[in-house]
Structure formats: structure tokens, C-alpha cells
């Protein structure tokens, strides 16, 4: 079965983020459209409206250029009003990192009946050669019953990172991991304000290519983060103390290019509290699934692609839908996108790119149960695959039959 696709003409893509305006902004159909922010090699961001009625979208709503060199990573973050009086209306922030070692925080405002506008908020000059990866710790996502209101001040207490405040973690060409005062960045403090909270020097022996934070559901578990490096290793760290917990068993023979986490506890209620899985992919064309608690290698798919894997995403179904399957999506220099189940079995291949697949983003539109995939390549095209996931993930009978044959 061929997936329905739509295309954005974007330029060579390095990062994709999707933002859905809240209902308060929605006065007509146009205002309800998701905003797709696409960063590129030429250091520009382009913001498109994702309109399901249009097959090829060539003109962005607006553009933004806050970098002088290649954009390497980006995240959307909406600070809670308790963090900053400047964001009482939940103005979304885009945080982007580049090859000059700069991290830029900027607002993109969606006004009813108008195109999005952008506003340069803050440039953080890290002093590093380049930033390859960032992620944001958000205390509002940590523990459903945890209350951090009494910990809204201070950043380091007795040598520990304050888990009551958001922070930004970066990695890149200097092999170190740095923790930044994200609250200060949201408030747009002066250039003389120190933003570095803590640093882990020589965290890896080579460039750090991927950082992903695990926000546990249970308030009794600690926030952790995973790093993947060109030194072919993947490590697990405790955020509060910055302690290295362990290095996962090395299975890759080339760069660890991307990492992701699947936590079953964000998928469905499980009395046994199953362990999250850490997914790693490599320039050697393979991907692996590791048990976060035991370090066991659950799956190592050596022949995943015919060339280096350069993009990775995980689809976690909405909470409470246990019958739906979590899926892994990989993209490669071989121009293909493969979709896998959590047993490492390939269930679909997506054809459409003519150059290296650089980034993949999975998105579930508000009010809809069917997810879509955004994938960007080195040929100046972003493809939206609209039914490539749900034809498999929403077929519990298929999974039941598969499980029956495995018994």
C-alpha cells in the first residue's frame, strides 16, 4: 500500500519541529493549522503551515535567520507561566543550535488571522567549536504527582542540579556535556549573566552527536539522559548529580549518530513498571535496542540499512492505548525510511527521497488519532507521510497473530 504524501520545498534539512497553536489562537481554519519549523544547512529557518489540502507547499509563512552557520539541532518549548511572566500567554520558544557553537532562543508568535512572526530573544555564545545536539529538561514533565513550586529558585544546591527548574543540555565538538540556565534564557537576561550551571568535561572521547532526556512518569525515579558519540559509545547519566551510571554495551562499529528513548510507562499503565528502552543507530547501518535498567542488548539489527543511518525517531502511541504498537523509524544515506516494531522486525519501507534522509519527526495532530511522519533530506525536500504509521500501529490483530506464532 502506498502512503499519501505531501511535500515542502525547504532547502537541505537538518531539523524539524512541529507546533500546534492552542485553541485560544484559533479564530478560523487557517489559525488551527500546525506550524512546521524547518532548519537547514544554509542557517535559515522556514515556518510552514501544514495544510492537509495542499500536496506541495513551496512558500513558507515566514522565515527566520538567527544563525551564521549550519543549524544542527532545534527544540520547541512552551514555558509554564510560573517560570516567566513574559510567557503568561504560552508564547512558544524555539531553541536552535549551530556549527559556530551558538544557541539561539527565539519566539514565534501566532496571532489570530495573521502569519507567524518571529522575534529574536537571546543568543548564547557557548564558546564551543560547534553544538551538535541539545535537549531540554522540563520539570512539568517529571512525575505526575510531583510539586516543585518550593524549588523555583537556585540552580545548584549542594552540588546537585535543581530539578525544580528547566535546564538545557548541550553537546558537540568539545566532547563535554554542558548544563545551561534555561530559565535565564527564557527571561532574556543580559549578556553578562552567567548561564552555565555545570559541565561534564571529557564526557566522551569524540564529538557528542546525540542527547536525549528521559522524564520518568514515577516521582520515585530520577530524570536521566542518554548521550551518543562519534566514539561509538552510548552512556547513561543521572541529571541531578551528573553522575555517569554506566556505558551501554558497545555494539556499533562506527559513529553513534542518534539516540531515542521509548518508555512503556508513558504508553500504558503497567503494574510491573517495565523498563524503558534506549534505541541507538549508527553510521555502520545498524540500530540497537537496549534495556535502560539492565544494560542488556535486546535487539541489534546489523543489516537495518545498506548505508549509514542518519535519522531516528520513535512513535509512542497516546497514553492508555495499550493495543497500539510503539514503532521505530530510521532514515539513511541510502535514501530509504524503514519502520520497525520493538522486536526489530521491519514492517514497512517508505520510498520518496532522492538524497540522504537527515531528520525524522513523528507528529500526532490534535483531535486525530493517526500520526504522521515528517522527513527531511539533503535534496531540499521535506516529505509528510500521512498514513505510513497507523496502517500498522492501529492493527492490534496483526500483533496478536505475530505474538501467537512466536510462542
Amino acid at each position: 500500500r502506498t502512503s499519501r504524501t505531501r511535500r515542502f520545498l525547504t532547502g537541505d534539512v537538518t531539523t524539524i519541529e512541529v507546533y500546534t497553536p492552542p485553541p485560544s489562537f484559533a479564530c478560523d481554519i487557517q489559525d488551527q493549522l500546525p506550524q512546521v519549523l524547518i532548519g537547514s544547512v544554509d542557517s535559515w529557518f522556514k515556518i510552514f503551515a501544514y495544510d492537509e489540502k495542499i500536496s506541495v507547499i513551496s512558500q513558507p509563512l515566514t522565515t527566520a535567520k538567527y544563525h551564521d552557520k549550519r543549524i544542527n539541532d532545534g527544540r520547541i518549548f512552551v514555558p509554564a507561566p510560573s517560570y516567566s511572566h513574559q510567557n503568561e500567554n504560552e508564547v512558544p520558544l524555539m531553541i536552535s543550535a549551530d556549527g559556530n557553537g551558538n544557541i539561539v532562543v527565539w519566539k514565534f508568535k501566532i496571532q489570530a488571522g495573521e502569519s507567524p512572526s518571529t522575534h529574536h530573544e537571546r543568543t548564547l555564545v557557548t564558546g564551543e567549536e560547534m553544538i551538535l545536539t541539545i535537549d531540554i529538561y522540563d520539570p512539568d514533565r517529571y512525575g505526575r504527582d510531583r510539586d516543585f513550586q518550593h524549588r523555583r529558585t537556585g540552580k545548584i544546591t549542594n552540588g546537585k542540579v535543581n530539578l525544580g527548574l528547566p535546564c538545557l543540555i548541550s553537546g558537540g565538538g568539545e566532547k563535554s556535556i554542558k548544563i545551561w540556565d534555561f530559565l535565564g534564557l527564557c527571561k532574556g537576561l543580559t549578556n553578562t549573566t552567567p548561564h552555565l550551571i555545570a559541565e561534564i568535561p571529557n564526557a566522551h572521547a569524540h564529538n557528542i552527536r546525540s542527547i536525549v532526556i528521559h522524564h520518568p512518569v514515577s516521582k520515585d525515579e530520577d530524570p536521566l539522559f542518554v548521550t551518543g558519540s562519534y566514539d561509538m559509545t552510548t552512556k547513561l547519566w543521572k541529571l541531578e548529580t551528573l553522575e555517569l551510571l554506566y556505558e551501554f554495551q558497545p555494539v556499533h562499529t562506527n559513529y553513534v549518530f542518534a539516540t531515542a528513548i521509548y518508555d512503556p510507562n508513558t504508553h500504558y499503565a503497567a503494574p510491573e513498571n517495565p523498563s524503558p528502552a534506549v534505541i541507538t543507530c549508527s553510521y555502520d547501518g545498524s540500530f540497537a535496542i537496549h534495556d535502560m535498567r539492565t544494560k542488556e542488548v535486546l535487539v541489534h539489527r546489523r543489516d537495518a540499512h545498506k548505508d549509514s543511518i542518519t535519522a531516528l525517531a520513535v512513535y509512542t502511541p497516546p497514553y492508555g492505548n495499550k493495543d497500539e504498537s510503539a514503532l521505530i523509524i530510521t532514515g539513511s544515506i541510502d535514501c530509504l525510511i524503514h519502520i520497525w516494531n520493538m522486536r526489530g522486525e521491519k514492517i514497512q519501507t517508505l520510498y520518496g527521497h532522492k538524497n540522504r534522509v537527515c531528520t525524522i519527526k513523528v507528529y500526532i495532530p490534535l483531535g486525530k488519532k493517526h500520526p504522521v511522519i515528517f522527513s527531511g533530506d539533503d535534496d531540499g525536500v521535506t516529505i509528510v507521510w500521512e498514513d505510513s504509521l497507523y496502517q500498522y500501529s492501529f492493527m492490534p490483530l496483526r500483533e496478536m497473530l505475530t505474538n501467537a506464532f512466536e510462542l
Side-chain angles (χ1 to χ4, degrees):
R1 174 177 164 181
T2 302
S3 301
R4 293 182 298 131
T5 64
R6 304 185 191 279
R7 292 171 181 261
F8 297 96
L9 304 182
T10 56
D12 296 354
V13 181
T14 57
T15 185
I16 300 174
E17 286 290 298
V18 184
Y19 174 76
T20 300
S24 59
F25 285 105
C27 295
D28 55 39
I29 297 300
Q30 179 68 27
D31 298 324
Q32 300 175 25
L33 295 176
Q35 313 296 321
V36 184
L37 288 79
I38 300 176
S40 64
V41 172
D42 63 8
S43 72
W44 281 89
F45 266 98
K46 297 179 180 179
I47 303 178
F48 295 83
Y50 171 45
D51 190 341
E52 297 179 0
K53 300 177 182 179
I54 302 176
S55 59
V56 178
I57 304 173
S58 59
Q59 295 299 320
L61 295 174
T62 190
T63 59
K65 191 177 192 302
Y66 300 131
H67 297 274
D68 295 324
K69 205 168 184 180
R70 172 194 173 102
I71 297 166
N72 287 324
D73 204 359
R75 296 288 186 276
I76 288 177
F77 184 75
V78 182
S82 57
Y83 296 150
S84 171
H85 64 82
Q86 298 178 9
N87 272 284
E88 291 178 356
N89 295 323
E90 295 188 343
V91 174
L93 300 176
M94 183 68 188
I95 301 90
S96 47
D98 67 27
N100 272 338
N102 296 329
I103 298 173
V104 179
V105 180
W106 47 284
K107 297 178 182 179
F108 58 101
K109 299 180 180 179
I110 295 91
Q111 303 292 344
E114 300 179 5
S115 295
S117 62
T118 62
H119 173 66
H120 183 197
E121 180 70 9
R122 185 77 170 82
T123 297
L124 174 63
V125 180
T126 67
E128 291 202 30
E129 176 185 353
M130 59 180 169
I131 301 293
L132 291 172
T133 178
I134 58 173
D135 204 359
I136 300 169
Y137 165 72
D138 182 1
D140 282 356
R141 292 177 56 194
Y142 171 31
R144 292 175 179 152
D145 304 321
R146 188 176 285 268
D147 179 14
F148 281 123
Q149 293 300 321
H150 64 290
R151 297 178 65 181
R152 293 298 193 206
T153 60
K155 305 174 187 68
I156 291 284
T157 304
N158 296 325
K160 296 182 178 180
V161 174
N162 187 347
L163 298 181
L165 296 172
C167 64
L168 183 146
I169 307 179
S170 70
E174 292 190 355
K175 311 170 191 175
S176 65
I177 299 167
K178 293 184 179 180
I179 317 295
W180 303 93
D181 172 18
F182 187 66
L183 180 60
L185 293 175
C186 289
K187 289 182 177 180
L189 299 181
T190 65
N191 289 330
T192 59
T193 302
H195 291 282
L196 184 62
I197 297 175
E199 179 178 0
I200 307 174
N202 299 314
H204 281 271
H206 209 315
N207 296 354
I208 297 172
R209 187 60 182 81
S210 178
I211 293 175
V212 60
I213 297 173
H214 177 237
H215 295 80
V217 172
S218 171
K219 64 181 181 181
D220 298 323
E221 296 185 25
D222 296 314
L224 308 173
F225 64 94
V226 173
T227 57
S229 169
Y230 286 175
D231 66 9
M232 300 182 286
T233 67
T234 305
K235 298 181 179 182
L236 183 69
W237 310 80
K238 184 175 178 180
L239 177 58
E240 186 173 25
T241 61
L242 304 182
E243 171 190 1
L244 174 61
L245 298 181
Y246 45 75
E247 179 180 316
F248 289 98
Q249 180 179 335
V251 294
H252 298 299
T253 58
N254 208 324
Y255 301 158
V256 175
F257 201 79
T259 58
I261 295 174
Y262 165 64
D263 188 348
N265 299 288
T266 65
H267 179 181
Y268 56 86
E272 65 275 16
N273 188 22
S275 174
V278 174
I279 300 94
T280 59
C281 68
S282 171
Y283 246 49
D284 64 12
S286 75
F287 77 87
I289 305 175
H290 313 255
D291 187 295
M292 180 181 282
R293 293 178 185 157
T294 67
K295 301 186 289 184
E296 179 185 0
V297 179
L298 305 175
V299 173
H300 184 204
R301 189 65 188 259
R302 294 176 175 82
D303 58 346
H305 283 269
K306 295 180 179 179
D307 210 325
S308 303
I309 298 178
T310 49
L312 171 69
V314 171
Y315 167 61
T316 301
Y319 184 78
N321 298 325
K322 187 176 181 179
D323 290 336
E324 299 173 24
S325 305
L327 299 171
I328 298 169
I329 306 99
T330 57
S332 169
I333 292 178
D334 64 16
C335 307
L336 300 178
I337 295 174
H338 295 322
I339 301 177
W340 316 80
N341 62 24
M342 294 303 294
R343 294 185 294 273
E345 300 164 338
K346 183 167 63 177
I347 56 178
Q348 190 176 8
T349 297
L350 305 181
Y351 301 89
H353 287 289
K354 297 180 180 179
N355 209 321
R356 176 180 68 155
V357 180
C358 301
T359 186
I360 296 173
K361 179 74 175 183
V362 181
Y363 169 71
I364 304 177
L366 284 177
K368 298 184 179 181
K369 65 179 181 179
H370 302 323
V372 298
I373 298 175
F374 292 85
S375 59
D377 65 22
D378 267 345
D379 208 30
V381 174
T382 296
I383 300 179
V384 186
W385 312 86
E386 292 184 336
D387 60 359
S388 53
L389 279 180
Y390 63 78
Q391 60 177 301
Y392 289 102
S393 65
F394 287 80
M395 292 177 65
L397 178 60
R398 175 187 175 93
E399 294 289 15
M400 290 168 58
L401 291 173
T402 301
N403 289 335
F405 282 112
E406 286 184 344
L407 294 177

